[in-house]
Amino acid sequence: MDFMKGIAASSGIAIAKAYMLAEPDLSFEKKLVDDSVKEIKRFQSALTKAKTELEGIRDRTNKELGSDKSAIFEAHLLVLSDPELITQIEDKIKTEKVNAEYALKETTDMFIAVFEQMDNEYMKERAADIRDVTKRVLSHLLGLQIVNPSMINEEVIIVAEDLTPSDTAQLNRQFVKGFTTDVGGRTSHSAIMARSMEIPAVVGTKTVTKEINNGDLIIVDGLKGEVHINPSQETIEKYKKEQAEFEAQKAEWAKLVNEKSFSADGHQVELAANIGTPNDLEGVINNGGEGIGLYRTEFLYMGRGQLPTEEEQFEAYKAVLEGMKGKPVVVRTLDIGGDKELPYMNLPKEMNPFLGFRAIRLCLEEQDMFRTQLRALLRASSYGNLKIMFPMIATLDEFREAKAILEEEKEKLVSNGTDVSDNIEIGIMVEIPSTAVIADQFANEVDFFSIGTNDLIQYTMAADRMNERVSYLYQPYHPAILRLVKMVIDAAHKEGKWVGMCGEMAGDEIAIPILLGLGLDEFSMSATSILKARSQIRRLSKSGMEKLAEQVLQMKTTEEVLQAVKSVMK
């Protein structure tokens, strides 16, 4: 097969060699050995290789991403130097005459079980370190290579079954020109990260890892959602031309970088960006972002071996607030759960994690962690225009409890003489249908709403946004979704409050005309979508879009809405 179809997840065209990002098969059999001394030497050789590999990863990570990200590899090196662990593995090889793979796995499994049962959170975290280190040493014993995306040093396109958010965060955009996966959708976190990194991506191909071999030349077309494998020279030339045309279009949009966002009839809106780390700021500024509409703080917690300290968080929040020079920065408190896991927290596996113990539910129970984040945010607030929002709010009681904890931490800081801003707006994400339905009640108590359409759509339509088999139900333009959005905007405006949208729908060229007509105040999207959206809004009249919005709210299907918008955009 030389051509595959998937979901266009991040715009652009990439042409490069395939880099297969796949977990190796680390299965093995227990064997008895005649020469235990030779087997111990084989184990020690694997141990040395693992240490050398980790030292290289640690040094590079420290240089490119900072000491906080490299700390996890420092912890792994400590495990590999633990005499108690190493001695027990070697003793098992010697006394039981077993192969090194079996001795390693049996011994480390015992250590992991002991650490996981401890009450001390720090000791529980060591279990995750031992598990990762075991895989690395085992891979060397088996003669296999564990891939590490942060170590890529040539131009490639990543090919994987899926990419975790921490995998995506490690990608070096200098060398990673794009990626394609078997699973995922346009709103999966790897896709969102790809857009923030400005690299083309095609996801949900179902079988791309089976069709492509490491080193194959491939083309990822993030505009049409296509992947071409070992293309002809004619196809390569065609895509190089399309690549140049896309870059020329981007150059036209770039002329609007310092312009305000006005409709054709003079109505002003705010176009803001969604970010994951302070490193994303450059993209926001280069793309003319008028603020940060969503700072996803969970990326501070991911790809590491322990919770970030208050000081680490303070520095990250301060960097973003200072970097935006007084423009609004909406920070979402920790939103872990669903497809975003923290291995070091050892949270229980759930049947349906998207509807489970996540986001504000987790924070209200793990209050030490929550209060640490809130203190860091409050301390950083004097360095810019901070707004705080709580995710996954389902009831007024949840919002009131979260806000009360915030106020308690603020009082403590102020009483200790710490500078804290007096005008921090406190809002919520509207991503649960029940919250949208009673938005009028929330509007009395919040300072703003930010509509998280990625989850609002999946909950309203009862369709998991990560499941390709029900992807046809993930319908942003369905009249039910549009009516919920209208309810939230109307309720907020009645109380004189503003409404933003931070879901992917905010940067969707079909949704933008409707949202403008519904009165959305702030559109927050991947930074790379801002200039294109600004160009589109300048061609639309607010009054004309109000009429369109009235029409589509009365329609019955997504297809009817789609056709109505397309007829207006011609």
Side-chain angles (χ1 to χ4, degrees):
M1 184 183 289
D2 58 2
F3 165 77
M4 299 188 73
K5 193 79 178 148
I7 298 165
S10 181
S11 297
I13 293 165
I15 306 170
K17 289 193 301 183
Y19 180 96
M20 304 300 291
L21 192 68
E23 282 280 315
D25 179 5
L26 297 178
S27 58
F28 63 89
E29 292 180 3
K30 178 184 178 182
K31 293 177 183 174
L32 295 178
V33 296
D34 296 326
D35 191 342
S36 56
V37 174
K38 185 179 177 183
E39 195 67 8
I40 288 171
K41 282 183 179 174
R42 193 168 76 87
F43 167 64
Q44 289 172 341
S45 172
L47 206 60
T48 302
K49 287 176 184 173
K51 282 181 183 175
T52 304
E53 196 172 67
L54 279 169
E55 284 165 356
I57 295 170
R58 175 201 61 193
D59 294 346
R60 181 166 172 172
T61 305
N62 186 50
K63 182 181 175 184
E64 295 181 2
L65 300 173
S67 58
D68 60 324
K69 292 288 189 296
S70 66
I72 185 170
F73 302 113
E74 201 68 70
H76 288 187
L77 282 163
L78 285 173
V79 173
L80 287 180
S81 303
D82 184 346
E84 187 177 352
L85 176 66
I86 305 307
T87 302
Q88 286 200 37
I89 294 168
E90 292 178 350
D91 285 348
K92 197 171 193 68
I93 295 171
K94 195 184 303 179
T95 57
E96 298 182 24
K97 300 279 185 182
V98 290
N99 55 333
E101 291 89 344
Y102 180 78
L104 169 70
K105 191 75 168 61
E106 284 287 293
T107 307
T108 54
D109 280 354
M110 179 191 70
F111 273 78
I112 288 166
V114 169
F115 282 127
E116 284 183 337
Q117 288 167 13
M118 291 183 178
D119 291 333
N120 184 303
E121 199 59 42
Y122 175 83
M123 298 309 288
K124 282 184 178 179
E125 289 164 11
R126 301 289 68 78
D129 292 336
I130 296 170
R131 192 176 284 111
D132 282 352
V133 163
T134 301
K135 280 168 59 178
R136 191 169 296 280
V137 177
L138 195 52
S139 73
H140 287 295
L141 284 169
L142 295 168
L144 301 169
Q145 182 68 41
I146 286 186
V147 293
N148 177 12
S150 70
M151 297 298 284
I152 293 168
N153 58 6
E154 62 176 333
E155 291 192 359
V156 297
I157 292 171
I158 300 286
V159 180
E161 180 187 3
D162 193 13
L163 281 172
T164 65
S166 56
D167 279 338
T168 319
Q170 288 182 67
L171 301 182
N172 183 337
R173 76 182 82 182
Q174 180 186 347
F175 298 116
V176 176
K177 297 302 173 184
F179 70 75
T180 179
T181 62
D182 289 338
V183 301
R186 192 175 156 75
T187 58
S188 59
H189 287 278
S190 55
I192 292 166
M193 283 289 284
R195 287 192 287 279
S196 72
M197 292 170 68
E198 299 187 56
I199 58 173
V202 174
V203 300
T205 62
K206 297 186 174 66
T207 59
V208 75
T209 54
K210 293 184 177 69
E211 305 294 342
I212 293 176
N213 296 312
N214 209 47
D216 281 350
L217 181 70
I218 60 173
I219 297 172
V220 165
D221 181 348
L223 300 167
K224 297 195 286 284
E226 295 175 358
V227 179
H228 296 262
I229 307 162
N230 292 319
S232 66
Q233 192 58 40
E234 184 184 354
T235 302
I236 292 170
E237 292 305 321
K238 170 178 166 281
Y239 268 104
K240 282 184 175 176
K241 185 181 175 186
E242 289 188 23
Q243 219 175 17
E245 288 170 356
F246 181 68
E247 291 304 317
Q249 177 65 79
K250 283 170 68 177
E252 279 300 307
W253 293 331
K255 294 174 182 176
L256 301 175
V257 71
N258 296 315
E259 300 292 322
K260 296 290 184 186
S261 304
F262 283 101
S263 66
D265 54 351
H267 176 77
Q268 187 174 6
V269 295
E270 183 179 293
L271 295 188
N274 300 335
I275 68 167
T277 75
N279 295 337
D280 297 334
L281 268 186
E282 184 182 352
V284 178
I285 293 161
N286 291 345
N287 286 284
E290 295 167 288
I292 304 290
L294 170 63
Y295 180 177
R296 300 183 180 93
T297 57
E298 55 271 18
F299 290 106
L300 282 167
Y301 293 73
M302 300 170 80
R304 54 188 295 147
Q306 65 282 319
L307 291 167
T309 64
E310 181 179 327
E311 202 59 33
E312 286 173 321
Q313 293 188 64
F314 164 71
E315 291 295 341
Y317 306 144
K318 178 187 171 194
V320 172
L321 287 161
E322 285 185 328
M324 290 306 291
K325 295 182 169 60
K327 292 178 181 175
V329 175
V330 180
V331 177
R332 177 175 72 188
T333 58
L334 183 60
D335 185 7
I336 285 296
D339 63 339
K340 294 170 289 183
E341 297 181 351
L342 297 182
Y344 54 83
M345 284 196 68
N346 292 311
L347 296 172
K349 294 289 180 188
E350 297 181 293
M351 289 288 288
N352 196 337
F354 279 101
L355 298 177
F357 184 56
R358 56 174 291 208
I360 200 67
R361 302 164 182 184
L362 169 66
C363 288
L364 291 177
E365 187 160 315
E366 301 285 343
Q367 284 199 21
D368 286 347
M369 178 179 72
F370 189 38
R371 288 175 184 273
T372 298
Q373 180 177 36
L374 294 177
R375 281 196 303 274
L377 282 167
L378 290 164
R379 286 173 54 204
S381 65
S382 58
Y383 293 91
N385 183 2
L386 174 68
K387 304 176 193 297
I388 297 173
M389 69 174 170
F390 303 124
M392 196 81 178
I393 294 288
T395 68
L396 270 168
D397 288 338
E398 284 177 329
F399 172 69
R400 288 167 179 165
E401 185 180 354
K403 187 177 179 182
I405 293 170
L406 178 69
E407 293 299 335
E408 283 174 22
E409 293 304 323
K410 181 179 178 181
E411 283 177 25
K412 289 178 196 171
L413 287 170
V414 171
S415 65
N416 288 333
T418 304
D419 282 340
V420 177
S421 172
D422 283 331
N423 55 358
I424 304 170
E425 292 185 8
I426 311 298
I428 63 168
M429 280 187 76
V430 179
E431 46 195 333
I432 296 175
S434 62
T435 305
V437 170
I438 60 165
D440 57 330
Q441 296 179 21
F442 278 100
N444 289 316
E445 302 193 26
V446 303
D447 294 320
F448 67 92
F449 290 125
S450 185
I451 305 172
T453 51
N454 300 356
D455 275 345
L456 182 65
I457 296 165
Q458 77 166 341
Y459 295 144
T460 304
M461 305 301 288
D464 181 352
R465 62 187 170 105
M466 310 298 286
N467 185 338
E468 291 84 19
R469 296 184 74 176
V470 294
S471 61
Y472 73 96
L473 286 170
Y474 193 84
Q475 300 180 20
Y477 326 124
H478 192 285
I481 304 298
L482 302 179
R483 289 186 186 188
L484 288 173
V485 170
K486 177 177 167 54
M487 290 172 76
V488 176
I489 294 172
D490 288 352
H493 288 177
K494 189 176 179 182
E495 296 294 329
K497 310 291 174 66
W498 65 271
V499 183
M501 180 178 286
C502 58
E504 287 303 301
M505 186 174 167
D508 184 305
E509 64 181 346
I510 296 294
I512 284 172
I514 302 170
L515 298 173
L516 182 65
L518 290 172
L520 189 70
D521 303 298
E522 178 230 54
F523 297 66
S524 191
M525 59 196 73
S526 299
T528 51
S529 300
I530 290 174
L531 294 172
K532 182 181 179 183
R534 184 168 295 151
S535 174
Q536 181 182 7
I537 288 170
R538 286 163 69 92
R539 300 191 306 270
L540 302 172
S541 80
K542 172 73 159 51
S543 56
M545 295 310 103
E546 286 173 349
K547 291 172 186 169
L548 171 69
E550 284 176 22
Q551 291 169 10
V552 298
L553 287 168
Q554 303 309 314
M555 290 176 179
K556 297 175 182 177
T557 67
T558 288
E559 190 55 38
E560 288 177 23
V561 174
L562 196 56
Q563 292 308 316
V565 175
K566 284 181 176 177
S567 67
V568 168
M569 289 171 65
K570 280 180 182 175

